[in-house]
């Protein structure tokens, strides 16, 4: 149980285009989903927290107009990188937490974004 | 106060040995301490987690030791295997559910 999927696993795009990454909880309802960014050999950096049906809460320094997050249902959250630039190239990982007292975050497999 | 300090940054252990990774925190409001294992190009996977009301938790070859007074917790991997070679992250959280991650430890187990 507690499986989280991400799609796509890899994406290459041209500078200036937008890219959407999907995060799905496959066997549980996720009231809260998180989006992280990870640079090579570094820890996970939380970008934003999203709760189903409400606006995402962004961490300090994360541009909310550049990284659009939508949590439209209890099993799906999307991250859209708008007008991507090479410096947005990174490994993006989502996690999901079940409702109630569940504190455990279950992570997706990650999406490798390369902006040319 | 929100930091979680993790050490060592990297660790090399012989097959069959014990791998020990340590984490320390400042915020006494933290009440949930998970450990995650991450292989290159993959997302982190939950290994084991502990709450401050217990001093030790064991699951197979993985053990968490928790010292509330010292505000430290550690992961012990017994009988380390080459397949355990990965990056390990400790984390801490409060009721807000946001994790504060350690900086990670790259473990290499030699065959």
């Amino acid at each position: 149980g507690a499986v989280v999927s991400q799609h796509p696993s890899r994406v290459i795009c041209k500078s200036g285009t937008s890219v959407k990454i999907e995060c799905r909880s496959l066997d549980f309802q996720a009231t809260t989903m998180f989006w992280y960014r990870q640079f090579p050999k570094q820890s996970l950096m939380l970008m934003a927290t999203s709760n189903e049906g409400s606006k995402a809460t962004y961490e300090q320094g994360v541009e909310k107009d550049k990284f659009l997050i939508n949590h439209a249902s209890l099993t799906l959250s999307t991250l859209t990188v708008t007008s991507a630039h090479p410096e947005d190239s990174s490994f993006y990982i989502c996690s999901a937490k079940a409702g109630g007292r569940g504190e455990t975050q279950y992570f997706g497999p990650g999406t490798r974004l390369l902006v040319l | 106060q929100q930091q979680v300090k993790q050490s060592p940054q990297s660790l090399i252990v012989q097959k069959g040995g014990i791998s020990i990774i340590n984490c320390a925190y400042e915020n006494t409001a933290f009440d949930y301490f998970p450990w995650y294992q991450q292989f290159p190009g993959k997302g982190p996977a939950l290994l084991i987690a502990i709450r401050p009301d217990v001093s030790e938790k064991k699951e197979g070859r993985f053990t968490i030791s928790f010292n509330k007074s010292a505000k430290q917790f550690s992961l012990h991997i017994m009988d380390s295997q080459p397949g355990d070679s990965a990056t390990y992250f400790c984390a801490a959280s409060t009721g807000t559910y946001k994790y504060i991650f350690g900086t990670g430890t790259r473990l290499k187990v030699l065959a």
Side-chain angles (χ1 to χ4, degrees):
Chain A
V3 179
V4 176
S5 70
Q6 274 182 251
H7 179 81
S9 58
R10 293 171 178 262
V11 57
I12 301 173
C13 69
K14 292 182 179 179
S15 185
T17 61
S18 294
V19 174
K20 181 184 284 189
I21 303 170
E22 290 187 350
C23 176
R24 293 181 185 272
S25 56
L26 299 184
D27 52 2
F28 66 100
Q29 293 189 325
T31 53
T32 306
M33 286 184 168
F34 303 84
W35 286 95
Y36 294 85
R37 184 172 180 177
Q38 188 177 35
F39 292 104
K41 299 183 182 180
Q42 292 192 22
S43 189
L44 292 86
M45 182 185 79
L46 180 65
M47 300 174 66
T49 302
S50 75
N51 291 293
E52 186 263 338
S54 61
K55 288 184 178 180
T57 301
Y58 289 81
E59 295 298 301
Q60 192 173 8
V62 177
E63 297 177 60
K64 62 180 181 181
D65 294 330
K66 181 167 188 61
F67 298 100
L68 300 179
I69 292 171
N70 184 281
H71 192 163
S73 77
L74 286 172
T75 59
L76 173 65
S77 176
T78 59
L79 168 68
T80 302
V81 183
T82 63
S83 187
H85 287 95
E87 57 266 29
D88 297 325
S89 299
S90 192
F91 193 51
Y92 293 88
I93 313 172
C94 71
S95 72
K97 188 181 74 65
R101 284 201 72 246
E103 288 96 340
T104 302
Q105 291 184 29
Y106 297 96
F107 285 82
T111 296
R112 177 76 59 191
L113 170 63
L114 177 61
V115 184
L116 302 177
Chain B
Q1 249 209 343
Q2 285 289 84
Q3 278 189 324
V4 176
K5 295 182 180 180
Q6 184 172 346
S7 63
Q9 187 175 8
S10 62
L11 180 62
I12 300 175
V13 173
Q14 294 287 338
K15 178 182 176 182
I18 303 173
S19 303
I20 301 174
I21 304 170
N22 301 298
C23 285
Y25 63 97
E26 292 290 330
N27 188 350
T28 56
F30 288 143
D31 59 5
Y32 184 68
F33 303 88
W35 283 90
Y36 285 85
Q37 178 189 58
Q38 186 180 29
F39 293 103
K42 305 294 184 185
L46 178 69
L47 267 180
I48 187 171
I50 198 168
R51 297 182 183 283
D53 53 347
V54 297
S55 60
E56 186 175 283
K57 183 175 181 180
K58 183 176 180 179
E59 289 186 3
R61 296 185 295 110
F62 301 95
T63 300
I64 299 180
S65 296
F66 188 85
N67 186 328
K68 189 174 181 178
S69 60
K71 291 183 284 187
Q72 296 175 348
F73 58 109
S74 60
L75 175 70
H76 295 233
I77 305 175
M78 312 300 287
D79 187 25
S80 299
Q81 299 296 312
D84 297 330
S85 298
T87 300
Y88 293 82
F89 293 98
C90 64
S93 74
T94 66
T96 59
Y97 311 131
K98 183 167 74 172
Y99 280 4
I100 305 299
F101 277 96
T103 49
T105 297
R106 301 183 77 188
L107 171 65
K108 184 176 178 64
V109 181
L110 302 176

